[in-house]
Structures are given as structure tokens and as C-alpha cells.
Amino acid sequence: MRTLGLAGAITVLVLGLLAQPVGTASQNGSTPPRLGGLTGQLLVAAEEMGDPRFIKTVILIVRHHAAGAMGLVVNRPVGAVPIAKLLEGIGLDGTGVRGDIRLHYGGPVERRQVLTLHTTDYATEGTLRVGGDIAVTGNPEVLLAIGRGQGPKRYLTVLGYAGWAPGQLEDEIKAGGWFAVPADAAIVFDDKHDTKWERAVARRRVEI
């Protein structure tokens, strides 16, 4: 798994580099995932996952292109904090902001970076639609909006992200460590974190 620089990750998000050529067949005859084809899908750790950091992990892929892939873990809550305190921690004024927000582990890269997955009823500068009714925002304005009761209907705020170098995610999928299924808003946003992996696995079984 690749450690992308924070500036590079944000650039990828802002530019939305989706217009890339499709993948070609590998030497062993299998076809890797089409470049861009995993954006907006759930990446699910297979039972054979050998990396202990990602056992029973579910990740929403927010970008997949020739430069690599980026995703956010959606089934690892770490605790709740006052929104005002979170804003102050990133250098913003939390005056007039109320309530707590539950933070989640988003991945091993840039653990201090705050990103929010949310429904598309909300948008601000830098918001990018991932697919269906799901978008992602790195702009802290979304946290201010949530604290003022003006935010998205559903959301999930994470610290950090997962990143892959060019071709790395495709290789890990071919090796059997991961599989992908269509995203499901319930799996992404609901609080039943202990069952998200099982529900994501069940979506694969239904497709088969």
C-alpha cells in the first residue's frame, strides 16, 4: 500500500482524474479491473486477506486511475469528539457549533487528514461525487455545516485514507486479497459497524 503525499492526494481528489485508458490483459491471461472502474465501489477484504491491518475491512474507493487508487475505510469507528473541539484542532473557529461527531479510521496514510463521506444533498468547494448518492469532501466547511445543523443528511467522517501505487490494487485483487461490490449507502453510513463486512460479503454472494 502506497503512502501518497497529502498535497498529491488532495490534487487527485480535486482534479478527479477519471479519463484514463482501460486496462489490458495481464500476462497470465486474466483481465485487471478497468482503470476508473472501481471508483464508487466497495473494496472488501477477502477471507484470505493476509495483511492483519485489513482483515474484515470494507473500503469505499473514491478514486481509481492510472496514478493509483485511493479509498476510505468505512467500518472502523474510533470514538466521538465535540465538533467544536475538532475544528479548533485544525485551526478553525468552532464558535456556535454544537454536538459531537464520530470519527472513523479511514486508512494508514495521512492519519491527521480529515475527510467526510456524505450524501449528495450537500456540496461545498472541493466536494466530489464518488458515485450514486455518495460524495466526499475534504473542505472543513462540511464540519461547520454539520455543527450548525446545515450539513448532509448522512455522513461518515474519517481520519486518514488508504492509497495504492499504479497497478498495485489490481495486483492485490488478482492475488485474492480483495474483491469489489457495488456501493451500498447503508453499509457506508449506518452505525452497524460490526456487520458491515459480513453484509458486503453477502452482496458478492448475491451477485454470483
PDB file of all heavy atoms in Angstrom, residues 76-82 86 100-105 157-159 193:
ATOM      1  N   ARG A  76     -14.567   1.137  10.736  1.00  0.00           N
ATOM      2  CA  ARG A  76     -13.707   1.160  11.914  1.00  0.00           C
ATOM      3  C   ARG A  76     -13.859   2.460  12.699  1.00  0.00           C
ATOM      4  O   ARG A  76     -13.031   3.374  12.585  1.00  0.00           O
ATOM      5  CB  ARG A  76     -12.251   0.956  11.517  1.00  0.00           C
ATOM      6  CG  ARG A  76     -11.972  -0.436  10.984  1.00  0.00           C
ATOM      7  CD  ARG A  76     -10.516  -0.775  11.081  1.00  0.00           C
ATOM      8  NE  ARG A  76     -10.226  -2.061  10.488  1.00  0.00           N
ATOM      9  CZ  ARG A  76      -9.001  -2.497  10.268  1.00  0.00           C
ATOM     10  NH1 ARG A  76      -7.957  -1.757  10.583  1.00  0.00           N
ATOM     11  NH2 ARG A  76      -8.800  -3.690   9.727  1.00  0.00           N
ATOM     12  N   PRO A  77     -14.921   2.585  13.505  1.00  0.00           N
ATOM     13  CA  PRO A  77     -15.080   3.782  14.336  1.00  0.00           C
ATOM     14  C   PRO A  77     -14.008   3.832  15.418  1.00  0.00           C
ATOM     15  O   PRO A  77     -13.584   2.793  15.927  1.00  0.00           O
ATOM     16  CB  PRO A  77     -16.473   3.602  14.941  1.00  0.00           C
ATOM     17  CG  PRO A  77     -16.693   2.126  14.960  1.00  0.00           C
ATOM     18  CD  PRO A  77     -16.005   1.603  13.724  1.00  0.00           C
ATOM     19  N   VAL A  78     -13.568   5.052  15.756  1.00  0.00           N
ATOM     20  CA  VAL A  78     -12.546   5.189  16.793  1.00  0.00           C
ATOM     21  C   VAL A  78     -13.021   6.002  17.990  1.00  0.00           C
ATOM     22  O   VAL A  78     -12.363   6.005  19.028  1.00  0.00           O
ATOM     23  CB  VAL A  78     -11.254   5.828  16.220  1.00  0.00           C
ATOM     24  CG1 VAL A  78     -10.630   4.905  15.193  1.00  0.00           C
ATOM     25  CG2 VAL A  78     -11.528   7.195  15.618  1.00  0.00           C
ATOM     26  N   GLY A  79     -14.147   6.692  17.892  1.00  0.00           N
ATOM     27  CA  GLY A  79     -14.650   7.462  19.031  1.00  0.00           C
ATOM     28  C   GLY A  79     -15.268   8.771  18.602  1.00  0.00           C
ATOM     29  O   GLY A  79     -15.090   9.221  17.465  1.00  0.00           O
ATOM     30  N   ALA A  80     -16.011   9.387  19.530  1.00  0.00           N
ATOM     31  CA  ALA A  80     -16.696  10.644  19.244  1.00  0.00           C
ATOM     32  C   ALA A  80     -15.989  11.802  19.942  1.00  0.00           C
ATOM     33  O   ALA A  80     -15.432  11.644  21.029  1.00  0.00           O
ATOM     34  CB  ALA A  80     -18.149  10.560  19.700  1.00  0.00           C
ATOM     35  N   VAL A  81     -16.008  12.981  19.298  1.00  0.00           N
ATOM     36  CA  VAL A  81     -15.435  14.198  19.874  1.00  0.00           C
ATOM     37  C   VAL A  81     -16.384  15.358  19.592  1.00  0.00           C
ATOM     38  O   VAL A  81     -17.156  15.317  18.635  1.00  0.00           O
ATOM     39  CB  VAL A  81     -14.053  14.515  19.258  1.00  0.00           C
ATOM     40  CG1 VAL A  81     -13.053  13.422  19.548  1.00  0.00           C
ATOM     41  CG2 VAL A  81     -14.159  14.770  17.758  1.00  0.00           C
ATOM     42  N   PRO A  82     -16.360  16.398  20.418  1.00  0.00           N
ATOM     43  CA  PRO A  82     -17.151  17.595  20.110  1.00  0.00           C
ATOM     44  C   PRO A  82     -16.694  18.195  18.781  1.00  0.00           C
ATOM     45  O   PRO A  82     -15.489  18.293  18.524  1.00  0.00           O
ATOM     46  CB  PRO A  82     -16.857  18.535  21.283  1.00  0.00           C
ATOM     47  CG  PRO A  82     -16.420  17.625  22.396  1.00  0.00           C
ATOM     48  CD  PRO A  82     -15.671  16.515  21.719  1.00  0.00           C
ATOM     49  N   LEU A  86     -12.916  19.501  17.420  1.00  0.00           N
ATOM     50  CA  LEU A  86     -12.268  19.018  16.204  1.00  0.00           C
ATOM     51  C   LEU A  86     -11.877  20.189  15.311  1.00  0.00           C
ATOM     52  O   LEU A  86     -10.765  20.229  14.770  1.00  0.00           O
ATOM     53  CB  LEU A  86     -13.207  18.077  15.452  1.00  0.00           C
ATOM     54  CG  LEU A  86     -12.709  17.527  14.111  1.00  0.00           C
ATOM     55  CD1 LEU A  86     -11.428  16.726  14.294  1.00  0.00           C
ATOM     56  CD2 LEU A  86     -13.787  16.674  13.451  1.00  0.00           C
ATOM     57  N   ASP A 100     -21.553  16.427  18.907  1.00  0.00           N
ATOM     58  CA  ASP A 100     -20.371  15.585  18.738  1.00  0.00           C
ATOM     59  C   ASP A 100     -20.377  14.970  17.345  1.00  0.00           C
ATOM     60  O   ASP A 100     -21.408  14.914  16.677  1.00  0.00           O
ATOM     61  CB  ASP A 100     -20.361  14.457  19.768  1.00  0.00           C
ATOM     62  CG  ASP A 100     -20.228  14.969  21.194  1.00  0.00           C
ATOM     63  OD1 ASP A 100     -19.785  16.121  21.372  1.00  0.00           O
ATOM     64  OD2 ASP A 100     -20.576  14.220  22.116  1.00  0.00           O
ATOM     65  N   ILE A 101     -19.213  14.510  16.943  1.00  0.00           N
ATOM     66  CA  ILE A 101     -19.112  13.795  15.680  1.00  0.00           C
ATOM     67  C   ILE A 101     -18.281  12.535  15.917  1.00  0.00           C
ATOM     68  O   ILE A 101     -17.280  12.572  16.644  1.00  0.00           O
ATOM     69  CB  ILE A 101     -18.481  14.678  14.579  1.00  0.00           C
ATOM     70  CG1 ILE A 101     -18.660  14.051  13.205  1.00  0.00           C
ATOM     71  CG2 ILE A 101     -17.009  14.962  14.857  1.00  0.00           C
ATOM     72  CD1 ILE A 101     -18.384  15.021  12.066  1.00  0.00           C
ATOM     73  N   ARG A 102     -18.735  11.432  15.349  1.00  0.00           N
ATOM     74  CA  ARG A 102     -17.999  10.181  15.495  1.00  0.00           C
ATOM     75  C   ARG A 102     -16.913  10.111  14.418  1.00  0.00           C
ATOM     76  O   ARG A 102     -17.198  10.285  13.233  1.00  0.00           O
ATOM     77  CB  ARG A 102     -18.932   8.975  15.371  1.00  0.00           C
ATOM     78  CG  ARG A 102     -18.209   7.637  15.577  1.00  0.00           C
ATOM     79  CD  ARG A 102     -19.173   6.475  15.545  1.00  0.00           C
ATOM     80  NE  ARG A 102     -20.104   6.530  16.656  1.00  0.00           N
ATOM     81  CZ  ARG A 102     -19.821   6.106  17.887  1.00  0.00           C
ATOM     82  NH1 ARG A 102     -18.634   5.597  18.159  1.00  0.00           N
ATOM     83  NH2 ARG A 102     -20.722   6.192  18.837  1.00  0.00           N
ATOM     84  N   LEU A 103     -15.699   9.874  14.842  1.00  0.00           N
ATOM     85  CA  LEU A 103     -14.587   9.762  13.905  1.00  0.00           C
ATOM     86  C   LEU A 103     -14.312   8.292  13.621  1.00  0.00           C
ATOM     87  O   LEU A 103     -14.514   7.420  14.472  1.00  0.00           O
ATOM     88  CB  LEU A 103     -13.336  10.417  14.479  1.00  0.00           C
ATOM     89  CG  LEU A 103     -13.429  11.923  14.729  1.00  0.00           C
ATOM     90  CD1 LEU A 103     -12.146  12.431  15.379  1.00  0.00           C
ATOM     91  CD2 LEU A 103     -13.715  12.683  13.447  1.00  0.00           C
ATOM     92  N   HIS A 104     -13.838   8.024  12.412  1.00  0.00           N
ATOM     93  CA  HIS A 104     -13.534   6.672  11.975  1.00  0.00           C
ATOM     94  C   HIS A 104     -12.108   6.630  11.435  1.00  0.00           C
ATOM     95  O   HIS A 104     -11.587   7.626  10.939  1.00  0.00           O
ATOM     96  CB  HIS A 104     -14.496   6.233  10.867  1.00  0.00           C
ATOM     97  CG  HIS A 104     -15.927   6.189  11.291  1.00  0.00           C
ATOM     98  ND1 HIS A 104     -16.664   7.335  11.505  1.00  0.00           N
ATOM     99  CD2 HIS A 104     -16.759   5.156  11.541  1.00  0.00           C
ATOM    100  CE1 HIS A 104     -17.892   6.999  11.875  1.00  0.00           C
ATOM    101  NE2 HIS A 104     -17.971   5.691  11.905  1.00  0.00           N
ATOM    102  N   TYR A 105     -11.502   5.472  11.524  1.00  0.00           N
ATOM    103  CA  TYR A 105     -10.198   5.225  10.906  1.00  0.00           C
ATOM    104  C   TYR A 105     -10.419   5.091   9.405  1.00  0.00           C
ATOM    105  O   TYR A 105     -11.138   4.203   8.948  1.00  0.00           O
ATOM    106  CB  TYR A 105      -9.609   3.943  11.488  1.00  0.00           C
ATOM    107  CG  TYR A 105      -8.388   3.404  10.775  1.00  0.00           C
ATOM    108  CD1 TYR A 105      -7.131   3.945  11.011  1.00  0.00           C
ATOM    109  CD2 TYR A 105      -8.496   2.332   9.890  1.00  0.00           C
ATOM    110  CE1 TYR A 105      -6.011   3.436  10.376  1.00  0.00           C
ATOM    111  CE2 TYR A 105      -7.379   1.822   9.249  1.00  0.00           C
ATOM    112  CZ  TYR A 105      -6.142   2.383   9.491  1.00  0.00           C
ATOM    113  OH  TYR A 105      -5.036   1.874   8.859  1.00  0.00           O
ATOM    114  N   THR A 157     -17.257  10.616   8.890  1.00  0.00           N
ATOM    115  CA  THR A 157     -16.016  11.391   8.897  1.00  0.00           C
ATOM    116  C   THR A 157     -14.848  10.498   9.303  1.00  0.00           C
ATOM    117  O   THR A 157     -14.918   9.790  10.311  1.00  0.00           O
ATOM    118  CB  THR A 157     -16.143  12.584   9.859  1.00  0.00           C
ATOM    119  OG1 THR A 157     -17.200  13.438   9.406  1.00  0.00           O
ATOM    120  CG2 THR A 157     -14.850  13.383   9.900  1.00  0.00           C
ATOM    121  N   VAL A 158     -13.789  10.529   8.507  1.00  0.00           N
ATOM    122  CA  VAL A 158     -12.660   9.632   8.726  1.00  0.00           C
ATOM    123  C   VAL A 158     -11.358  10.399   8.894  1.00  0.00           C
ATOM    124  O   VAL A 158     -11.221  11.543   8.448  1.00  0.00           O
ATOM    125  CB  VAL A 158     -12.505   8.625   7.554  1.00  0.00           C
ATOM    126  CG1 VAL A 158     -13.798   7.889   7.294  1.00  0.00           C
ATOM    127  CG2 VAL A 158     -12.033   9.331   6.277  1.00  0.00           C
ATOM    128  N   LEU A 159     -10.412   9.737   9.542  1.00  0.00           N
ATOM    129  CA  LEU A 159      -9.044  10.245   9.682  1.00  0.00           C
ATOM    130  C   LEU A 159      -8.134   9.354   8.851  1.00  0.00           C
ATOM    131  O   LEU A 159      -8.039   8.157   9.097  1.00  0.00           O
ATOM    132  CB  LEU A 159      -8.612  10.217  11.141  1.00  0.00           C
ATOM    133  CG  LEU A 159      -9.455  11.057  12.118  1.00  0.00           C
ATOM    134  CD1 LEU A 159      -9.005  10.791  13.560  1.00  0.00           C
ATOM    135  CD2 LEU A 159      -9.329  12.535  11.794  1.00  0.00           C
ATOM    136  N   HIS A 193     -21.519  -1.148  12.536  1.00  0.00           N
ATOM    137  CA  HIS A 193     -20.151  -1.370  12.051  1.00  0.00           C
ATOM    138  C   HIS A 193     -19.711  -2.824  12.170  1.00  0.00           C
ATOM    139  O   HIS A 193     -18.939  -3.309  11.341  1.00  0.00           O
ATOM    140  CB  HIS A 193     -19.186  -0.463  12.811  1.00  0.00           C
ATOM    141  CG  HIS A 193     -19.543   0.980  12.747  1.00  0.00           C
ATOM    142  ND1 HIS A 193     -19.427   1.719  11.585  1.00  0.00           N
ATOM    143  CD2 HIS A 193     -20.045   1.823  13.684  1.00  0.00           C
ATOM    144  CE1 HIS A 193     -19.823   2.958  11.819  1.00  0.00           C
ATOM    145  NE2 HIS A 193     -20.195   3.045  13.075  1.00  0.00           N
TER     146      HIS A 193
END
